Amino acid sequence: MKVVVTHQEAMKFEAKTEKSSFIIDCPTITPVEYFLSGIITCSATDMILLPKNQGKTVTNLSIEGDVVRNDDHPRKFNTLHLIYKFDSDADDTAAARYVMASLETYCSTINTIRDSVKISYTVIHNGKTIRENEHMISGGGSHIDMGEIESCPQ
């Protein structure tokens, strides 16, 4: 993947990708807002495609992202909470699995930041909260002590 960003005028920049281009108009929309939008859109595409691959349909999808950043520079993301709201013809267990599959496996942008950002999520499926303030086990750079694991004899 290659992107080239060129200065246009004032605080406007053009980003050219291999497929298209778009204008980044700072401070109307900041690069950090574009970054967060990209993270959310990556997961949103999974939320449409994963159910479709199982013959299911997702409608009324919205994903809200709330980030807490450092007060001092660099103002990196510390926490990210995502709220998934959608309707579907899948059951609640499958709906929760779509979210988890996106977060843990398929969404490249989330997987790029997950070792340095604590990521949590809420899932509202067909108007009912089915997961609330859950945390990614592998997110936040946390170390999970599984204790001694006995291996198979060699």
Side-chain angles (χ1 to χ4, degrees):
M1 174 180 8
K2 183 177 180 180
V3 175
V4 176
V5 175
T6 56
H7 179 247
Q8 300 299 298
E9 63 179 325
M11 292 303 289
K12 287 186 181 181
F13 302 84
E14 181 180 25
K16 289 185 181 178
T17 71
E18 294 170 1
K19 299 175 188 169
S20 188
S21 67
F22 57 95
I23 299 296
I24 300 171
D25 185 5
C26 304
T28 303
I29 300 175
T30 69
V32 174
E33 290 169 319
Y34 277 104
F35 180 59
L36 180 57
S37 298
I39 290 168
I40 293 170
T41 302
C42 180
S43 189
T45 61
D46 293 338
M47 293 301 299
I48 298 300
L49 293 175
L50 291 168
K52 182 178 178 183
N53 290 341
Q54 295 182 348
K56 301 292 182 185
T57 303
V58 165
T59 58
N60 303 316
L61 173 67
S62 74
I63 304 172
E64 178 182 328
D66 186 21
V67 168
V68 175
R69 297 173 61 195
N70 279 349
D71 290 332
D72 298 322
H73 293 282
R75 298 201 53 226
K76 71 174 206 72
F77 290 7
N78 286 315
T79 63
L80 168 60
H81 183 73
L82 297 166
I83 301 172
Y84 291 79
K85 296 178 186 175
F86 61 98
D87 298 325
S88 80
D89 52 354
D91 62 30
D92 289 345
T93 301
R97 285 184 181 150
Y98 301 144
V99 173
M100 286 308 303
S102 176
L103 292 174
E104 294 285 350
T105 305
Y106 295 105
C107 182
S108 300
T109 56
I110 288 173
N111 282 284
T112 298
I113 67 167
R114 76 192 232 184
D115 289 335
S116 62
V117 179
K118 283 190 174 186
I119 301 171
S120 60
Y121 63 95
T122 296
V123 180
I124 302 167
H125 178 241
N126 292 332
K128 181 175 87 177
T129 301
I130 61 171
R131 300 285 188 277
E132 189 166 10
N133 203 28
E134 298 281 331
H135 292 268
M136 286 181 63
I137 292 172
S138 58
S142 60
H143 172 74
I144 299 171
D145 184 1
M146 301 294 280
E148 291 290 321
I149 299 176
E150 188 176 327
S151 62
C152 294
Q154 296 194 23

